[in-house]
Amino acid sequence: MSEFDGKSVLITGGGSGIGLATARRLLDAGARVAIAGRDTDRLEAAAKELDAGERVIAVRADVASTADVDVLIGEIQSKFGSLDGVFANAGVGLNARTADITEADFDQVVGTNFKGAFFTVQKALPILNDGGSIVFNASWLVHRGMGMGSLYAASKAAVLNLARTLAPDLADRGIRVNTVTPGHIKTEMFDAVTGNDQVREFFRGQVAIGRLGDPTDIADAVLYLLSSRSSYITGQELVVDGGLVGSVPN
Ligand SMILES: NC(=O)c1ccc[n+]([C@@H]2O[C@H](COP(=O)([O-])OP(=O)(O)OC[C@H]3O[C@@H](n4cnc5c(N)ncnc54)[C@H](OP(=O)(O)O)[C@@H]3O)[C@@H](O)[C@H]2O)c1
């Protein structure tokens, strides 16, 4: 029997990058997975690539819209009945000086990264089984200041704090809440935010292990936090960054 047989997990931002890698790992471990995102074509391509028949459903939803999240949860309830895990992973990056950030930028970044994560979890609670597990996706930027990252970093710090306080809030239902904190991971977002190979090489040089992360590096950590193997861990942060936050580069 596989570790996640009979379990259902929601992954927001599951159509690409870290979310898609996590979906694949969960399906390989026997789970049913709901992936959500804004881009229908991307979601359909991801579902086709995952090739898991009725064990995967793809639902278009903008997590910044509570109405969309309601539809998402309703769809999961009708297809899967309930959930055992939530990976609140959808996020947008922003590389900009504070002076240049607009109200529209603020609404998009905070709306997706914080409001989206908050309401994804809040609205999933009625269908999340007791004993379930919630994992948020933060960022190494909650630990290191970067001049172009003020708004993004603050939105992720909010998520980290939310996880810590939700842990006791949901403990009476046996629901655990943790955060995964990625370093530099090779995804579309990383490519977009870094812009060119020279910047990417600079970022790689900051990582003690000497390589950029792969989405599967994060997926494996998320599976651990979703699984019963982490049953005594709640309110914690798992930093998966190849030594980026804790080390001085050679
Ligand atoms: N890559 C890194 O180095 C790194 C480092 C630290 C943290 N992270 C975090 O990891 C998470 C995943 O990012 P990634 O690196 O895997 O990049 P990615 O491939 O760009 O994934 C981001 C996903 O979020 C979805 N998304 C964005 N806005 C959304 C919204 N409003 N509603 C629903 N879905 C939305 C996107 O799908 P649609 O465009 O179809 O909506 C996309 O599938 C993010 O939270 C990011 O902040 C990444």
Side-chain angles (χ1 to χ4, degrees):
M1 183 169 151
S2 298
E3 189 169 12
F4 285 88
D5 272 351
K7 306 281 186 195
S8 301
V9 179
L10 162 63
I11 305 175
T12 61
S16 64
I18 293 167
L20 180 58
T22 307
R24 190 172 295 115
R25 283 285 204 259
L26 281 167
L27 289 165
D28 289 348
R32 292 185 295 187
V33 175
I35 55 173
R38 295 162 302 175
D39 181 338
T40 312
D41 291 344
R42 191 214 287 277
L43 281 178
E44 278 173 9
K48 196 169 165 198
E49 187 186 323
L50 290 168
D51 192 23
E54 291 184 350
R55 286 200 297 127
V56 63
I57 59 169
V59 185
R60 201 217 76 86
D62 179 345
V63 296
S65 155
T66 53
D68 278 16
V69 177
D70 283 334
V71 171
L72 168 65
I73 300 300
E75 189 71 13
I76 293 169
Q77 187 169 23
S78 78
K79 296 276 170 47
F80 292 166
S82 63
L83 280 169
D84 301 283
V86 176
F87 181 29
N89 162 73
V92 285
L94 182 72
N95 216 12
R97 292 274 163 162
T98 303
D100 298 327
I101 292 171
T102 65
E103 187 177 356
D105 291 332
F106 188 99
D107 289 345
Q108 199 205 8
V109 172
V110 175
T112 301
N113 297 359
F114 180 44
K115 178 186 173 190
F118 183 95
F119 283 107
T120 296
V121 166
Q122 189 216 51
K123 289 177 177 292
L125 287 177
I127 65 162
L128 184 62
N129 292 321
D130 289 359
S133 173
I134 296 166
V135 180
F136 289 94
N137 194 338
S139 165
W140 64 276
L141 278 162
V142 303
H143 297 294
R144 292 179 77 178
M146 188 179 79
M148 303 282 274
S150 64
L151 179 59
Y152 174 80
S155 72
K156 292 296 191 175
V159 161
L160 181 65
N161 193 269
L162 176 62
R164 193 174 293 135
T165 50
L166 270 180
D169 194 358
L170 301 179
D172 58 348
R173 292 185 52 200
I175 295 172
R176 296 178 301 107
V177 189
N178 292 290
T179 303
V180 67
T181 292
H184 301 315
I185 313 300
K186 282 179 291 174
T187 66
E188 253 177 55
M189 179 186 292
F190 179 78
D191 279 347
V193 168
T194 49
N196 64 58
D197 285 344
Q198 203 183 343
V199 177
R200 277 170 215 133
E201 181 52 24
F202 171 77
F203 275 48
R204 188 203 58 74
Q206 302 274 305
V207 181
I209 279 178
R211 69 169 175 86
L212 297 172
D214 187 83
T216 55
D217 292 319
I218 307 303
D220 288 336
V222 174
L223 256 71
Y224 171 65
L225 292 173
L226 288 173
S227 78
S228 58
R229 283 176 294 138
S230 60
S231 61
Y232 201 54
I233 300 177
T234 194
Q236 292 301 313
E237 175 192 22
L238 182 47
V239 179
V240 186
D241 70 345
L244 170 69
V245 167
S247 326
V248 175
N250 290 325

